[in-house]
Amino acid sequence: MPTKDKILTREQLPAVLDAWRQQGKRIVFTNGCFDLLHLGHVDYLEQARALGDVMVVGLNTDASVSCLKPGRPLQDEMSRARVLASLLFVDAVVLFGEPTPLELIHLVRPDVLVKGDDYAISGIVGHEFVLSNGGQVLTVPLVPGYSTTRIVERMRQAEGSMDI
C-alpha cells in the first residue's frame, strides 16, 4: 500500500476501523509529534504495534506542535505523516490539532492505548475512556538517551563547533 494511503482523515477513519473490527483485529492507538524520527520513536512504535493487530498513530498538527514545543516543528505535518506511514508497523496516521488527542481517542475507541513509560497510566489522556470501554492502557519502555530535543541540541552544539 502506498504510504499516502495510510494517512487518513477523520472522515475516512471510521470505515477503516469498522473493517478492521469486522476482521477481529485488535486496534492499538498512540500519538505524538514525531518531529525527527529516530531510534527511540521506531522502537516505541514497534513495541506498541506488537500489542495488537493494527496501529493508528495520532499525529499532532504543526499548530499543535508549536503550542507544545516553541520553535518546532522542524518538519511540516505532511512530511512527518509520510515518514510515519512508511513504517511497516504503522497502519494509519491521523492528524489532530486539539491540545490533546482525546477526541481522536473517542473516535478510534482503541482496544489498546499506549504511551512510553515516562507516563503514569493515570496521566495518559484518554485512559478513563479506554478502560471504561473494556480496553487496556499500557506503557512501553523507552530507549534511554533518545529524544528529538536531545538530537536538536547535539546538532546545534556540533554546528557551533564547526570551522567554516
Side-chain angles (χ1 to χ4, degrees):
M1 169 186 296
T3 58
K4 287 180 183 178
D5 293 348
K6 292 165 81 174
I7 302 168
L8 304 176
T9 65
R10 288 183 194 215
E11 293 74 31
Q12 294 169 315
L13 188 59
V16 173
L17 293 168
D18 287 345
W20 286 338
R21 285 193 175 94
Q22 287 175 5
Q23 296 167 18
K25 303 230 183 224
R26 185 170 163 88
I27 299 168
V28 176
F29 177 86
T30 194
N31 66 279
C33 300
F34 302 102
D35 200 4
L36 287 178
L37 198 65
H38 54 70
L39 174 64
H41 289 139
V42 171
D43 187 75
Y44 163 69
L45 292 167
E46 191 171 35
Q47 287 182 76
R49 172 58 157 69
L51 298 170
D53 302 308
V54 291
M55 184 165 64
V56 177
V57 177
L59 180 65
N60 292 78
T61 60
D62 291 346
S64 68
V65 173
S66 294
C67 290
L68 294 169
K69 302 176 182 199
R72 302 253 295 273
L74 301 171
Q75 299 187 84
D76 68 86
E77 61 197 39
M78 288 314 294
S79 296
R80 292 181 288 119
R82 282 289 300 276
V83 171
L84 279 174
S86 73
L87 298 173
L88 294 174
F89 38 83
V90 172
D91 299 285
V93 177
V94 183
L95 293 166
F96 72 96
E98 298 82 15
T100 73
L102 188 59
E103 287 181 31
L104 187 53
I105 291 167
H106 281 247
L107 179 63
V108 174
R109 295 182 337 266
D111 298 299
V112 184
L113 173 61
V114 182
K115 288 297 279 182
D117 64 0
D118 54 338
Y119 282 83
I121 298 291
S122 61
I124 298 174
V125 171
H127 77 277
E128 292 171 340
F129 174 77
V130 172
L131 293 172
S132 70
N133 283 289
Q136 292 181 290
V137 180
L138 302 170
T139 62
V140 296
L142 298 176
V143 177
Y146 284 88
S147 75
T148 301
T149 300
R150 190 167 176 183
I151 291 169
V152 169
E153 287 171 2
R154 277 189 267 149
M155 290 171 67
R156 286 189 176 135
Q157 288 172 356
E159 183 180 84
S161 67
M162 291 173 55
D163 293 326
I164 299 177

